[in-house]
Amino acid sequence: AFLTIGTLLSAVALAGLTAFAWFPQIPLVVGLLLWVVGGTGMGLAMPSSAVAVMSLSSRYEQGRNQSSMQVAESVGNSVVTAVAGGIYTALLLAEPEKLAYAAALGAATLVGVAAVLVSRRVGHIRNELLTAG
């Protein structure tokens, strides 16, 4: 549940930041709060994905699977950052000026929505600490 909640918070924050970039009448405090919501979502999702990988892996595959996930996260973050940066750069001189930033955030929002959908596939992870006693 933490994985899905975290990805959902991050996606909502990105959608809100896209709106914040497009509509100048939205107060700055709303944009700042959206960054807090997004950070909270990342704080829930990142460690939860690590716990899920460890829980769903056999004892002998945990290290390899965990390192594979870390590489995948790093590559994924790099690709999303590069694509968003490319969109921003391509639209930097476009009119209206806010289009570049809103389009880059919009692309990241689409990735966030996809992450929410994929996070639902993990399912329930049994808490071994609760069942051991």
Side-chain angles (χ1 to χ4, degrees):
F2 286 126
L3 183 60
T4 300
I5 292 168
T7 55
L8 183 62
L9 286 174
S10 295
V12 167
L14 284 167
L17 287 167
T18 303
F20 177 76
W22 191 257
F23 299 107
Q25 61 269 28
I26 297 176
L28 178 61
V29 69
V30 172
L32 295 173
L33 289 174
L34 286 167
W35 281 111
V36 171
V37 169
T40 301
M42 288 173 37
L44 286 172
M46 297 294 282
S48 297
S49 64
V51 169
V53 166
M54 297 294 276
S55 297
L56 296 171
S57 300
S58 73
R59 183 169 52 161
Y60 302 106
E61 294 179 333
Q62 287 179 345
R64 187 180 78 182
N65 291 347
Q66 188 65 27
S67 66
S68 296
M69 188 191 73
Q70 287 177 344
V71 169
E73 284 178 350
S74 295
V75 170
N77 289 335
S78 299
V79 168
V80 171
T81 301
V83 169
I87 292 169
Y88 177 79
T89 303
L91 297 173
L92 196 55
L93 299 176
E95 290 294 328
E97 292 177 3
K98 59 189 172 187
L99 179 62
Y101 198 57
L105 284 168
T109 301
L110 293 177
V111 173
V113 169
V116 171
L117 298 175
V118 171
S119 75
R120 299 294 299 148
R121 294 191 63 205
V122 174
H124 178 73
I125 303 295
R126 190 183 57 156
N127 188 339
E128 293 178 11
L129 293 175
L130 292 177
T131 58

